[in-house]
Amino acid sequence: MYDKIAYLTFDDGPTVYTNEIINILNQYQVKGTFFIIGINAKRFPDVIQRLKKEGHQIGNHSYTHDYNLIYLNATNFINELELTDKIIYNLTGQHHNLFRFPGGSSTLMATPEQITGYIKILQQRGFEYFDWNVDSGDILADNADQIVNNIEDQIKDKTIALILLHSTRLITVEALPRIIILLKTYGFQMQPLTKGSYHAHHRLSN
Ligand SMILES: [Zn+2]
């Protein structure tokens, strides 16, 4: 039994980097969670099928990732959610009712009232949403060292680490083996997210 659990989550893919991320995870026998964008899934359908086949978790991260479209109104939000759900279903034969809000549930691109409404929409459709409690900072980092350091700073005091990473930069791929070793050194077991896992919500859901 491990008392420390880490969830590695990779947003915004699939991209040209996703296959290498999967290779590294497989090499270390670690399962990750991939919050994918519908339009990218259409570009890299084989990567979605590979994720499914190799036992990694897939989550829904909207269709366009365009804040101005997704958060404009409920109709758009539902449309983005359902389009991506359909793409994932067609590629994997399963619905994957895990969701991450583009920008997180604390995004300033929507009002708190809007987010509350969108959370209800998710709940009505059987989706659970996940934020994070460790931000790797990989989007703004200059190099892999910074990513590893950011994570180390934030995991020291935690027994559950839900880690935000992205599929969009080479430095994240470069940092990944070191992140896995770091987490193991600190005694974390790495697992894929599932319904009922730790959600790390940035807002209360009701
Ligand atoms: Zn994103």
Side-chain angles (χ1 to χ4, degrees):
M1 263 306 276
Y2 289 83
D3 4 331
K4 294 168 85 172
I5 299 173
Y7 303 98
L8 295 173
T9 68
F10 301 89
D11 287 12
D12 300 354
T15 69
V16 292
Y17 300 116
T18 307
N19 272 319
E20 188 55 24
I21 292 171
I22 300 170
N23 291 344
I24 295 167
L25 293 174
N26 289 353
Q27 187 190 331
Y28 288 91
Q29 297 182 302
V30 165
K31 303 293 185 201
T33 302
F34 293 77
F35 286 102
I36 62 105
I37 299 172
I39 49 173
N40 288 350
K42 282 169 91 171
R43 288 181 60 207
F44 301 98
D46 50 318
V47 178
I48 300 295
Q49 288 168 326
R50 185 182 173 203
L51 286 170
K52 165 75 179 167
K53 185 162 159 263
E54 299 182 8
H56 299 282
Q57 185 60 279
I58 300 166
N60 186 325
H61 194 43
S62 83
Y63 183 69
T64 64
H65 206 282
D66 182 335
Y67 300 124
N68 294 319
L69 292 174
I70 304 158
Y71 297 135
L72 185 66
N73 55 44
T75 305
N76 278 23
F77 183 83
I78 292 168
N79 190 38
E80 296 242 354
L81 182 73
E82 292 186 343
L83 270 174
T84 297
D85 183 57
K86 194 174 289 179
I87 291 166
I88 296 172
Y89 182 80
N90 287 341
L91 289 169
T92 66
Q94 272 189 332
H95 292 286
H96 287 69
N97 295 350
L98 313 180
F99 182 78
R100 176 168 279 160
F101 285 95
S105 70
S106 56
T107 178
L108 299 176
M109 302 307 293
T111 66
E113 292 73 22
Q114 282 181 305
I115 293 290
T116 300
Y118 300 150
I119 289 169
K120 285 212 180 86
I121 287 167
L122 291 169
Q123 288 169 341
Q124 284 161 359
R125 286 163 177 75
F127 277 81
E128 292 185 10
Y129 74 97
F130 297 82
D131 286 312
W132 55 88
N133 67 351
V134 175
D135 184 352
S136 72
D138 61 345
I139 291 298
L140 298 173
D142 294 322
N143 52 53
D145 285 352
Q146 283 183 9
I147 298 172
V148 176
N149 291 340
N150 286 340
I151 292 174
E152 185 166 19
D153 286 345
Q154 295 169 69
I155 61 168
K156 283 177 179 162
D157 60 345
K158 291 188 174 67
T159 52
I160 301 181
L162 206 173
I163 304 172
L164 174 67
L165 294 149
H166 293 82
S167 304
T168 53
R169 298 191 69 194
L170 182 60
I171 56 170
T172 304
V173 181
E174 291 168 349
L176 186 55
R178 293 166 56 194
I179 294 168
I180 293 170
I181 292 165
L182 177 81
L183 289 165
K184 288 186 173 179
T185 303
Y186 276 87
F188 284 92
Q189 188 200 35
M190 281 155 273
Q191 294 183 359
L193 288 172
T194 55
K195 291 184 96 175
S197 303
Y198 175 65
H199 297 82
H201 285 166
H202 294 165
R203 291 180 191 280
L204 295 175
S205 56
N206 288 304

